[in-house]
C-alpha cells in the first residue's frame, strides 16, 4: 500500500515537472524556428527600405513601411489609452477607495472587457469608421487599437495601484491636498512602475495585433504622412507576404516575423526590467 | 490659489468619471453598434434561423452560420483537450512542487508566451505544425491531409491559450491556504495526495473558471487559426480536414463584403455573435474567480 502511494507520488511529480519544463521548451522552439527561418532573408534592406517596384514578385525593398506604420499606430493608441485609461485607474483607487463592493464590480467588468477578442474590436472599429464617414486610415487604426488596449492599460495600472497602502493616501489627504493632487502627485508616483508596465504591455499588444487593424488601417507601400492616409502594419505585412506563391516573398515574411519577434521580446523583457527598477524607489 | 486648486480638482474629477463610465459602457456601445449594422439581416431571417441553418450562399442572400459556429467549436474543443492537462499539471508543479528558482524563470517565459503576437504563432504553425500533421500525424490515423486542418488549428490555439490559462490557475492555487495543505500532510498524506484531495478540491470552481476563460479566449482567436485551419467549410467530421471558424470568416471576407448586398450585415452579425458568446462566458466565469479571490 505504502509503495503504491510512493509510486503514484513519483509518477505525478514527473508528469507535472514535465508539463512545466515543456513550456520552456515550447517557447524556445517557437523563437528558434522563427529566428532560424527569418535570419536567412533578414538584411539591412528589410528594415531600411520601403517596397520598391516588383517587391511582391521578389524585387528590391523592405518592410520599413510596415514597421513605421505599426509604430505609429501603437504609439498613437497607447497615448490615447494613457489619456483615457490612467485617470480611470486612478479614479478607481482614489475616489472609490471607500466603496469596496463597487471597486470589485468595476474590476470584474474590466476583466470581462479584457476578454473580448480583437476581431470584435476590429469589426466595431469598421462600423464606427463608416458611421463617421472615414476611410481605412492611420487614424481609424489608432482609434480601434486604442479601444483594444485601454482595458489592458486600466487593469495593469490598477493592479499596482491597488497594492499601495491606504495610509499613504490618508496622509496625503490629511495634509490638505485635494483628491486630484493625491491621485497624480502621490499615487501616480508610487505606482509609477505599474504605469510603465501598463504602457509597455499596451504598446506590445498594439504592435502585434492584426485582427483589429485588418479592416481599419488599410495597407500601403508608402510611409503614411497624414492621419487620413492608410498605413501598413507589421503583422499584416507578414500575413500578406506569407500568402504569396513566390518563395522569395515568403522568405521575407519569415524575416518580418523575426523583426516582430525581436520587438516583442525587447518590450516584454524591458517591461520586467523597468518595473523592477522603478519599484525599488517606492516608499514601503 | 485655493480657488484654482478646487477648480482643477473639479475638472480632473469630471474627466476621471467620464473615462471610467465610457470604458465600462464600451461592451454596450460595441454591441449596439454591431447590432445596428446587422439589423437589415433580421428583417428576412430570425436569429435562430441564422444560427442553426447551414445554407451559406451570400449571393442568394442566404446566411446560415452553423458550419462556422461548428468549426469554431471543433477547433476550440481540440485546443482545450491539448492545453488543459498541460496547464493543470504545470500550475500544480509551479505552485506546489518546484523550487523558487524555476518559478523565477517561468514568469518571464509565461510573459513572453502571452506577449507573442498571434501572427507569430501562425507562422510557427505553418512552419512546424502543418507539416507535422500532414507528414506524420495523418498517416498514423490512416488518412491523408494537406496539414491545413482543424487538428493543426487546435494545436496552435492550445499553445496560445496555455499562458493565459496557466496564469489564472497559478493565481487560483495560490489562494488555497497553506494551513489546509499542511493539515493534510501532517495526517500522513503524501505531497501528491494533499494536492489531489485538498488543493484541487478546494480550488475546483477556480479551475473550472480558468478552463472556461481559456475556451472563450480560444473561441475568439483569429489570425493564427485562420493561417493554419484551411478556411473551407467542413464537409466531414474528420479533424484532419479543413474547417472554417467564425472569426476567420469575418477576417477573410472583409474585402468583398461591400460588393454583395447584406454581406456586411452578415459579417457584423458574426462579430456580434462572437461578442455575446465570449462576453457571456467571461461574465459567468470571472464571477467565480472574483468570488474565490475574495475569500
Amino acid at each position: 500500500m505504502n509503495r503504491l502511494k510512493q509510486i503514484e507520488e513519483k509518477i505525478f511529480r514527473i508528469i507535472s515537472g514535465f508539463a512545466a519544463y515543456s513550456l520552456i521548451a515550447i517557447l524556445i522552439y517557437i523563437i528558434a524556428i522563427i529566428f532560424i527561418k527569418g535570419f536567412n532573408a533578414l538584411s539591412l534592406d528589410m528594415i531600411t527600405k520601403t517596397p520598391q517596384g516588383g517587391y511582391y514578385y521578389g524585387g528590391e525593398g523592405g518592410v520599413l513601411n510596415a514597421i513605421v506604420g505599426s509604430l505609429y499606430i501603437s504609439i498613437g493608441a497607447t497615448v490615447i489609452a494613457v489619456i483615457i485609461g490612467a485617470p480611470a485607474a486612478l479614479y478607481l483607487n482614489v475616489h472609490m477607495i471607500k466603496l469596496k463592493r463597487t471597486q470589485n464590480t468595476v474590476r470584474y467588468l474590466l476583466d470581462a472587457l479584457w476578454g473580448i477578442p480583437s476581431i470584435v474590436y476590429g469589426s466595431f472599429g469598421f462600423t464606427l469608421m463608416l458611421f463617421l464617414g472615414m476611410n481605412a486610415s492611420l487614424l481609424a487604426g489608432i482609434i480601434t487599437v486604442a479601444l483594444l488596449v485601454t482595458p489592458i492599460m486600466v487593469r495593469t495600472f490598477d493592479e499596482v495601484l491597488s497594492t499601495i497602502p491606504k495610509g499613504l493616501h490618508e496622509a496625503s489627504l490629511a495634509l490638505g491636498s485635494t483628491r486630484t493632487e493625491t491621485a497624480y502627485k502621490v499615487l501616480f508616483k508610487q505606482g509609477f512602475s505599474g504605469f510603465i508596465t501598463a504602457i509597455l504591455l499596451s504598446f506590445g499588444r498594439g504592435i502585434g495585433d492584426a485582427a483589429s487593424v485588418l479592416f481599419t488601417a488599410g495597407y500601403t507601400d508608402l510611409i503614411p504622412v497624414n492621419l487620413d492616409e492608410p498605413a501598413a502594419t507589421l503583422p499584416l505585412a507578414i500575413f500578406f507576404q506569407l500568402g504569396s506563391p513566390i518563395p522569395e516573398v515568403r522568405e521575407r515574411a519569415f524575416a518580418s516575423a523575426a523583426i516582430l519577434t525581436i520587438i516583442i521580446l525587447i518590450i516584454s523583457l524591458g517591461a520586467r526590467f523597468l518595473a523592477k527598477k522603478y519599484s525599488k524607489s517606492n516608499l514601503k | 490659489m485655493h480657488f484654482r486648486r478646487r477648480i482643477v480638482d473639479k475638472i480632473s474629477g469630471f474627466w476621471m468619471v467620464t473615462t471610467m463610465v465610457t470604458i465600462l459602457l464600451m461592451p454596450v456601445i460595441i454591441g449596439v453598434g454591431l447590432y445596428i449594422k446587422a439589423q437589415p439581416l433580421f428583417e428576412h431571417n430570425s436569429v435562430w434561423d441564422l444560427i442553426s441553418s447551414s445554407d451559406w450562399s451570400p449571393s442568394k442572400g442566404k446566411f446560415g452560420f452553423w458550419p462556422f459556429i461548428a468549426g469554431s467549436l471543433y477547433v476550440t474543443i481540440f485546443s482545450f483537450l491539448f492545453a488543459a492537462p498541460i496547464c493543470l499539471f504545470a500550475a500544480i508543479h509551479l505552485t506546489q512542487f518546484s523550487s523558487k528558482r524555476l518559478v523565477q524563470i517561468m514568469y518571464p517565459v509565461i510573459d513572453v508566451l502571452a506577449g507573442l503576437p498571434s501572427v507569430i504563432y501562425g507562422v510557427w504553425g505553418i512552419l512546424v505544425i502543418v507539416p507535422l500533421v500532414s507528414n506524420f500525424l495523418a498517416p498514423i490515423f490512416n488518412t491523408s491531409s494537406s496539414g491545413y486542418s482543424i487538428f493543426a488549428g487546435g494545436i496552435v490555439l492550445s499553445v496560445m491559450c496555455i499562458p493565459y490559462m496557466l496564469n489564472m490557475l497559478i493565481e487560483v492555487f495560490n489562494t488555497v491556504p497553506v494551513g489546509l495543505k499542511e493539515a493534510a500532510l501532517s495526517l500522513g498524506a503524501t505531497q501528491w495526495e494533499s494536492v489531489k484531495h485538498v488543493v484541487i478540491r478546494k480550488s475546483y470552481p477556480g479551475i473550472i473558471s480558468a478552463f472556461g476563460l481559456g475556451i472563450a479566449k480560444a473561441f475568439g482567436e483569429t489570425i493564427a487559426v485562420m493561417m493554419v485551419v484551411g478556411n473551407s467549410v467542413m464537409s466531414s467530421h474528420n479533424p484532419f480536414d479543413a474547417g472554417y471558424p467564425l472569426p476567420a470568416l469575418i477576417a477573410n471576407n472583409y474585402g468583398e463584403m461591400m460588393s454583395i448586398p447584406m454581406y456586411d450585415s452578415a459579417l457584423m452579425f458574426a462579430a456580434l455573435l462572437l461578442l455575446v458568446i465570449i462576453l457571456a462566458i467571461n461574465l459567468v466565469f470571472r464571477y467565480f474567480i472574483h468570488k474565490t479571490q475574495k475569500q
Side-chain angles (χ1 to χ4, degrees):
Chain A
M1 180 63 195
N2 228 347
R3 261 183 68 86
L4 218 66
K5 266 168 89 169
Q6 269 170 5
I7 291 171
E8 191 189 342
E9 169 94 15
K10 272 252 165 60
I11 289 175
F12 277 98
R13 267 177 187 260
I14 290 169
I15 291 178
S16 71
F18 177 75
Y21 283 107
S22 72
L23 295 183
I24 303 179
I26 289 174
L27 178 67
I28 293 173
Y29 188 35
I30 292 175
I31 292 181
I33 288 282
I34 299 282
F35 279 177
I36 289 169
K37 268 287 188 180
F39 283 154
N40 279 336
L42 196 59
S43 62
L44 205 59
D45 275 8
M46 280 297 292
I47 50 174
T48 54
K49 283 192 180 157
T50 56
Q52 311 289 311
Y55 175 77
Y56 296 101
Y57 302 99
E60 288 274 297
V63 288
L64 183 67
N65 60 328
I67 297 175
V68 174
S70 266
L71 286 177
Y72 279 172
I73 286 184
S74 42
I75 289 174
T78 311
V79 169
I80 295 180
V82 168
I83 296 172
I84 298 175
L90 287 169
Y91 184 81
L92 185 62
N93 286 286
V94 177
H95 294 65
M96 288 165 121
I97 194 146
K98 280 188 191 155
L99 312 164
K100 271 271 169 280
R101 272 187 90 97
T102 326
Q103 244 184 349
N104 276 329
T105 316
V106 169
R107 289 202 177 116
Y108 160 64
L109 290 174
L110 284 174
D111 280 345
L113 202 57
W114 193 334
I116 297 177
S118 60
I119 186 83
V120 172
Y121 283 106
S123 308
F124 175 70
F126 179 74
T127 1
L128 194 68
M129 195 174 88
L130 293 184
F131 180 71
L132 297 174
M134 288 196 286
N135 285 322
S137 61
L138 192 56
L139 183 64
I142 288 176
I143 292 174
T144 311
V145 177
L147 292 177
L148 175 77
V149 297
T150 304
I152 299 175
M153 180 90 202
V154 182
R155 204 59 184 89
T156 319
F157 191 21
D158 167 59
E159 199 95 294
V160 173
L161 286 178
S162 63
T163 62
I164 294 174
K166 216 174 162 188
L168 197 65
H169 177 174
E170 282 164 355
S172 160
L173 288 180
L175 287 171
S177 47
T178 61
R179 287 199 280 196
T180 303
E181 286 161 352
T182 309
Y184 286 104
K185 292 187 180 158
V186 179
L187 261 77
F188 188 81
K189 271 189 189 155
Q190 184 75 4
F192 194 69
S193 64
F195 184 63
I196 295 285
T197 318
I199 287 185
L200 286 176
L201 220 64
S202 311
F203 184 76
R205 182 78 197 267
I207 212 166
D209 201 78
S212 58
V213 289
L214 190 59
F215 303 122
T216 49
Y219 199 86
T220 169
D221 283 353
L222 304 171
I223 293 175
V225 187
N226 285 318
L227 280 174
D228 61 349
E229 289 172 24
T233 44
L234 207 42
L236 289 185
I238 298 170
F239 184 65
F240 290 145
Q241 291 179 75
L242 210 53
S244 160
I246 300 160
E248 284 91 358
V249 181
R250 283 174 68 95
E251 286 290 313
R252 282 189 194 137
F254 300 140
S256 315
I259 297 172
L260 183 58
T261 312
I262 292 172
I263 296 176
I264 294 291
L265 280 178
I266 292 173
I267 293 173
S268 313
L269 300 177
R272 281 208 154 251
F273 174 73
L274 287 175
K276 243 187 208 149
K277 193 180 157 197
Y278 282 106
S279 56
K280 262 185 203 155
S281 58
N282 275 357
L283 299 169
K284 292 273 154 54
Chain B
M1 182 59 193
H2 192 65
F3 183 68
R4 230 190 72 196
R5 281 175 61 200
R6 292 241 318 253
I7 292 285
V8 169
D9 188 41
K10 277 262 151 29
I11 294 172
S12 122
F14 176 73
W15 176 245
M16 282 173 162
V17 181
T18 319
T19 56
M20 188 90 227
V21 172
T22 316
I23 292 171
L24 291 182
L25 282 180
M26 210 126 89
V28 180
I29 300 171
I30 293 176
V32 170
L34 291 176
Y35 180 81
I36 292 173
K37 258 305 196 178
Q39 177 77 41
L41 201 60
F42 301 134
E43 279 164 21
H44 304 281
N45 310 284
S46 74
V47 174
W48 178 246
D49 278 350
L50 288 172
I51 294 175
S52 61
S53 153
S54 303
D55 189 1
W56 181 263
S57 34
S59 49
K60 286 185 214 147
K62 289 206 184 336
F63 299 99
F65 283 97
W66 179 245
F68 306 103
I69 298 172
S72 271
L73 286 175
Y74 213 9
V75 177
T76 306
I77 289 169
F78 266 103
S79 78
F80 178 73
L81 290 181
F82 297 133
I86 294 183
C87 282
L88 190 61
F89 282 115
I92 288 174
H93 189 79
L94 290 176
T95 53
Q96 314 295 336
F97 297 151
S98 85
S99 62
K100 274 248 150 55
R101 245 189 74 211
L102 179 65
V103 179
Q104 290 301 322
I105 299 172
M106 276 314 273
Y107 274 119
V109 168
I110 299 174
D111 266 10
V112 173
L113 268 179
L116 281 181
S118 58
V119 72
I120 298 292
Y121 282 102
V123 172
W124 177 72
I126 289 179
L127 285 173
V128 176
I129 302 299
V130 168
L132 180 81
V133 169
S134 78
N135 299 333
F136 187 68
L137 288 174
I140 291 179
F141 291 95
N142 272 329
T143 54
S144 65
S145 167
S146 65
Y148 292 91
S149 57
I150 297 270
F151 199 77
I155 294 178
V156 171
L157 208 45
S158 70
V159 178
M160 295 188 66
C161 289
I162 282 174
Y164 189 73
M165 283 183 359
L166 185 61
N167 253 335
M168 278 183 290
L169 283 175
I170 289 176
E171 263 175 47
V172 167
F173 286 146
N174 276 335
T175 58
V176 176
V178 187
L180 275 182
K181 225 189 101 187
E182 280 169 354
L185 291 177
S186 68
L187 288 173
T190 59
Q191 282 272 356
W192 166 249
E193 279 175 330
S194 81
V195 169
K196 187 168 67 172
H197 293 299
V198 178
V199 177
I200 290 188
R201 190 163 293 182
K202 181 75 184 150
S203 41
Y204 206 63
I207 295 174
I208 300 289
S209 312
F211 284 169
L213 292 172
I215 288 179
K217 162 102 173 153
F219 201 77
E221 188 44 58
T222 313
I223 299 290
V225 186
M226 185 172 137
M227 287 164 84
V228 297
V229 84
N231 298 328
S232 67
V233 172
M234 269 190 303
S235 45
S236 65
H237 290 293
N238 185 350
F240 292 103
D241 279 349
Y244 209 160
L246 205 51
L249 172 76
I250 306 174
N252 243 346
N253 293 301
Y254 76 104
E256 33 198 293
M257 75 179 154
M258 300 316 266
S259 48
I260 301 170
M262 303 269 284
Y263 206 173
D264 56 335
S265 301
L267 293 186
M268 292 306 142
F269 175 72
L272 183 63
L273 209 58
L274 272 179
L275 174 72
V276 170
I277 294 172
I278 288 169
L279 204 56
I281 299 179
N282 264 282
L283 288 173
V284 170
F285 289 118
R286 283 282 177 199
Y287 181 73
F288 284 121
I289 289 226
H290 270 254
K291 251 182 124 179
T292 48
Q293 275 173 353
K294 254 189 278 173
Q295 275 166 7

